[in-house]
Each structure stands twice: as structure tokens, then as C-alpha cells.
């Protein structure tokens, strides 16, 4: 059935806004060319969007022509402000941006393991409030949070997980209470890293891939046919619990020791490095394993890197056998530290272990991928709300 006039207007408005987001400021003539709409229709939608405060004149085209130059229209970037949080066991990082995703300010605060739940939550919330104030954001439209642990697919809430600080779950509730007009969305950190790689990183040309996060712990995110897959309980990618040979035991429902985590977690990698005569002091800035791997690449410590690749290939080959993703991204601080050197080693081993062709790539986003993914999610949700059709006035 043909769309009603109001539905057609909403579709046209949404199309124009998306083009302005992707292409930047455009003239009415450029909007006409890109949308295929008639000149009167474009004129009407420009008027509607300007009246709604979503777009404004931001300049003039540089074309030399008779009469005045054509007006350039752009999205009003400060129509809404967003925040993204990367919540780790040892602290919180935050960025605040405008509606187009331009970062206005960023900050972080360390939170020690002996900090109580209440003080930890207060430090994190205060960090968000300070960052918003520094960015000149009177209020935040949407906050995207990346955190370790399982997200309940039914409620969207961070589930109580053993081994993770209680303040992680309380932080989400506290932000909702302190910022009642703000939409707060929480997502697993590894899933957000995969979103960032898919949109801005090394997986932009892939609709199907798996991201393997290597940092303090291990995790994976699965993207199939362009969609992030979370699983029935939100646990897709809990690869640390994967039973694998070489660990001397089996994981349990409450402890991933004995699983892939025992081969590829930060402590396991540091121990492996020490066995090969490599020792790097913990600087408190990045996982010790990342420093070890970075030094190993710099020193061309082939024996250690080969041994590490042997370990990683065990988990990667298991994932490949089940999902056949065609592409696997080594991400997180350790994945970034190993770079192409480590990725090539893992790929060659997987090729020997599996008949399924799999390209292994190294992330260039590293530890920043979670924040970037959280910001992309916040921006998408804010734009979905602000760009949504509004009821016609009577």
C-alpha cells in the first residue's frame, strides 16, 4: 500500500537527516540530487527540519553563480549532548560529545579495588557530571556505557556476575537516578568494541566476523550478517569459559580458571613471558600482558610470540569450527600490542588446524574501541529519538 502523506514526510525527513550526518552540510540542490526528491518536496522538508531545530544554515556553497550562493544546511550539533563510559575494574573513562559525535571533553578516574561501593559509584557519577559541565552540556540526552559482564537481553540490565565489582551495577542505577531525563544504555564492553571495529576499524568491509578481546581478561563478540549476536542469555562470546586443552583443568559455572582464560588472560601471558625470560614491570596504565607483548614485538622475541600464538590459536580454531566467520580481529590492549606480527602468527596456525579459511587482523583501535563503540551507540540512540517522526500539530 502507498505510504500516507505523513509517513512519506517522515521517511523523507529521516533520509535527509541521515545524508546530512554522513555527508556533512549540503545545499537544498544537493539534497534533491542525493534523495531523488522533487525541489518542492526538499524545500518543504528543509523548512520542517529547521522549524524543529534539527538543522540550520551553517554557511554558503562556494560555487560562483549569478545571484546569492546557495545556503548550506547542517545538523544542529548541540541539539543534544551525549556521554560514553568505559567501565573497568580499576576505573572509569568518559567522553562527552555533541549530536554528531564530535568529542568535546574526555576524562578518567582510577578506582582502587579497596574502594567501597558507595564511594566508587559517587566518584564515577561525579566524573560524568564534571565532564558534562566542562563540555558546556547543560544536560545529557543519552549515556552509553561499556562494562564487563553479561547484559540481560530481556531487561537490558547488567547482570550480577561473580568476580566483578558491585559498583558496576550500582553505577547504572545511580546515573538513572541522578540524570532522570537522560537515557542510559549499557552494553557488554567487547560487543561495543566489535561495533567500533565494524563502523570505524579494521572490520568495515566485513558483515561477518568475530572479535577476540585480549586485555586483563578475555572475551569475544560475534557479528553475523551485519548484526551483533548476544545469545539467549546475553552470553555469546564468553570465551574465557571455553574448555580447551593445555590448562590442566576445566572451568566451572562460577570461575573461568581452567578455560581459555587460563591460556590467554593477562596473568597467563605474563607467566608465559617470564618462562621465556621476558619481564616487564607493571606501570598501572595498561595490562602487564600488553607491555610484555609490545616489548616482545619490539625485540623480535620470536620464541615467545610463537608460543603465545600457539595458545591463542587453540581458542580461535574452536570459534572458527563453530561459526566460520572468515575474519577474526585481535583486539584489546594485548591484541593491539601484538599488532600484525601476532595476527600473522595466529592466522598461520589456524590455517593448519582448520579447513575453513580465516583471516586474522589486528585492531588499530586497541583499548579505545570500547569508548568509541559506546559513543556510537549513544549517538545512534539519540538520533533515533530526535529524528523520529513527530505527531502532526492540530
Amino acid at each position: 500500500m502507498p505510504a500516507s502523506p505523513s509517513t512519506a514526510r517522515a521517511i523523507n525527513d529521516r533520509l535527509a537527516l541521515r545524508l546530512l550526518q554522513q555527508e556533512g552540510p549540503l545545499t537544498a540542490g544537493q539534497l534533491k540530487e542525493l534523495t531523488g526528491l522533487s525541489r518542492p518536496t526538499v524545500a518543504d522538508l528543509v523548512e520542517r527540519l529547521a522549524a524543529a531545530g534539527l538543522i540550520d544554515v551553517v554557511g554558503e556553497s562556494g560555487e560562483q553563480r549569478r545571484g546569492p550562493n546557495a545556503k548550506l544546511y547542517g545538523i544542529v550539533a548541540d541539539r543534544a549532548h551525549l556521554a560514553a563510559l568505559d567501565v573497568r575494574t580499576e576505573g572509569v573513562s568518559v567522553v562527552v560529545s555533541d549530536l554528531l559525535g564530535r568529542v568535546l571533553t574526555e576524562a578518567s578516574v582510577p578506582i582502587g579495588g579497596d574502594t567501597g561501593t558507595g564511594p566508587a559509584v559517587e566518584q564515577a557519577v561525579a566524573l560524568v557530571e564534571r565532564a558534562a559541565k566542562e563540555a558546556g552540556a547543560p544536560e545529557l540526552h543519552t549515556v552509553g556505557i561499556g562494562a564487563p559482564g553479561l547484559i540481560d537481553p530481556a531487561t537490558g540490565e547488567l547482570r550480577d556476575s561473580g568476580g566483578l565489582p558491585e559498583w558496576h551495577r550500582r553505577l547504572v542505577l545511580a546515573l538513572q537516578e541522578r540524570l532522570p531525563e537522560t537515557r542510559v544504555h549499557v552494553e557488554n564492553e567487547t560487543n561495543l568494541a566489535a561495533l567500533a571495529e565494524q563502523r570505524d576499524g579494521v572490520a568495515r568491509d566485513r558483515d561477518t566476523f568475530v572479535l577476540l578481546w585480549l586485555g586483563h581478561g578475555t572475551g569475544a563478540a560475534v557479528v553475523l550478517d551485519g548484526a551483533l549476536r548476544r545469545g539467549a542469555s546475553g552470553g555469546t562470546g564468553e570465551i574465557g569459559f571455553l574448555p580447551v586443552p593445555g590448562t590442566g583443568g576445566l572451568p566451572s559455572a562460577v570461575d573461568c580458571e581452567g578455560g581459555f582464560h587460563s591460556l590467554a588472560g593477562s596473568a597467563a601471558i605474563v607467566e608465559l613471558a617470564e618462562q621465556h625470560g621476558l619481564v616487564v614491570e607493571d606501570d598501572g596504565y595498561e595490562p602487564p600482558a600488553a607491555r610484555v607483548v609490545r616489548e616482545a614485538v619490539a625485540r623480535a622475541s620470536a620464541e615467545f610470540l610463537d608460543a603465545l600464538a600457539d595458545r591463542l590459536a587453540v581458542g580461535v580454531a574452536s570459534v572458527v569450527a563453530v561459526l566460520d566467520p572468515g575474519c577474526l580481529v585481535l583486539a584489546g590492549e594485548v591484541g593491539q600490542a601484538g599488532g600484525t606480527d601476532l595476527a600473522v602468527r595466529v592466522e598461520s596456525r589456524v590455517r593448519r588446524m582448520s579447513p575453513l579459511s580465516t583471516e586474522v587482523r589486528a585492531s588499530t583501535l586497541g583499548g579505545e574501541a570500547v569508548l568509541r563503540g559506546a559513543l556510537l551507540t549513544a549517538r545512534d540512540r539519540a538520533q533515533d529519538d530526535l529524528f523520529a517522526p513527530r505527531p502532526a500539530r492540530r
Side-chain angles (χ1 to χ4, degrees):
M1 295 179 62
S4 67
S6 61
T7 301
R9 286 194 294 271
I11 293 172
N12 293 340
D13 290 355
R14 189 67 172 261
L15 174 59
L17 286 165
R18 288 301 182 195
L19 285 170
L20 289 168
Q21 174 199 334
Q22 296 165 5
E23 304 293 334
L26 298 169
T27 66
Q30 289 170 327
L31 280 171
K32 173 182 177 299
E33 180 179 348
L34 291 171
T35 61
L37 300 173
S38 67
R39 190 176 300 277
T41 299
V42 170
D44 287 343
L45 74 82
V46 165
E47 183 178 353
R48 278 195 305 275
L49 295 176
L54 291 173
I55 68 171
D56 201 358
V57 177
V58 296
E60 295 182 344
S61 67
E63 297 174 325
Q64 297 299 321
R65 47 183 289 177
R66 292 184 178 181
N69 290 332
K71 296 176 180 178
L72 278 170
Y73 296 94
I75 292 175
V76 179
D78 60 1
R79 179 73 165 75
H81 291 92
L82 321 168
L85 278 71
D86 182 1
V87 179
R88 304 291 180 98
T89 55
E90 70 279 4
V92 177
S93 297
V94 61
V95 298
V96 178
S97 81
D98 60 24
L99 184 58
L100 292 176
R102 289 192 290 256
V103 174
L104 304 175
T105 189
E106 49 191 317
S108 62
V109 61
I111 298 179
D114 57 348
T115 307
T117 298
V121 170
E122 181 57 34
Q123 288 181 48
V125 173
L127 177 72
V128 175
E129 293 176 333
R130 287 197 305 272
K133 184 176 180 180
E134 291 175 8
E139 63 182 36
L140 296 171
H141 182 283
T142 305
V143 174
I145 303 174
L150 301 181
I151 308 299
D152 190 321
T155 64
E157 296 178 352
L158 185 64
R159 290 169 54 183
D160 187 10
S161 301
L164 294 177
E166 173 62 24
W167 66 264
H168 282 194
R169 295 182 70 247
R170 277 295 310 157
L171 173 58
V172 177
L173 298 174
L175 285 170
Q176 291 172 332
E177 292 169 0
R178 258 301 250 265
L179 308 171
E181 302 301 318
T182 300
R183 294 157 177 80
V184 179
H185 172 71
V186 62
E187 178 61 271
N188 174 267
E189 58 178 355
T190 307
N191 287 344
L192 290 177
L195 173 63
E197 293 292 352
Q198 184 184 33
R199 299 270 287 273
D200 295 335
V202 296
R204 282 173 291 183
D205 61 335
R206 292 283 184 168
D207 289 330
T208 295
F209 69 97
V210 170
L211 179 138
L212 176 59
W213 183 269
L214 302 169
H216 284 289
T218 59
V222 177
V223 176
L224 301 178
D225 300 323
L228 184 67
R229 307 297 180 177
R230 296 177 175 83
S233 62
T236 295
E238 286 295 315
I239 196 171
F241 286 88
L242 181 72
V244 293
T247 64
L250 290 172
S252 70
V254 295
D255 190 352
C256 57
E257 285 301 322
F260 183 61
H261 172 81
S262 295
L263 292 183
S266 181
I269 294 175
V270 169
E271 182 180 353
L272 179 67
E274 290 174 346
Q275 294 172 6
H276 288 81
L278 298 174
V279 179
V280 177
E281 296 294 332
D282 184 359
D283 65 354
Y285 175 71
E286 63 180 348
R291 298 200 71 199
V292 169
V293 172
R294 195 182 310 281
E295 287 292 327
V297 171
R299 298 176 188 176
S301 303
E303 186 178 345
F304 164 69
L305 292 172
D306 285 339
L308 177 57
D310 288 341
R311 289 186 171 196
L312 297 181
V314 171
V316 173
S318 300
V319 170
V320 168
V322 175
L323 297 175
D324 186 19
C327 177
L328 184 130
V329 177
L330 293 182
E333 295 88 349
V334 174
Q336 185 183 34
T340 302
D341 197 332
L342 182 60
V344 168
R345 282 177 159 84
V346 174
E347 180 178 320
S348 68
R349 285 156 176 77
V350 174
R351 189 181 301 120
R352 294 196 297 267
M353 298 168 67
S354 172
L356 307 177
S357 177
T358 306
E359 181 181 2
V360 179
R361 301 176 179 179
S363 165
T364 56
L365 300 180
E368 298 178 0
V370 176
L371 265 181
R372 189 172 302 194
L375 187 58
L376 286 168
T377 300
R379 189 185 75 181
D380 288 348
R381 288 180 172 252
Q383 291 182 350
D384 284 344
D385 176 64
L386 295 170
F387 296 176
R390 299 287 187 251
R393 295 181 179 178
R394 295 185 177 180

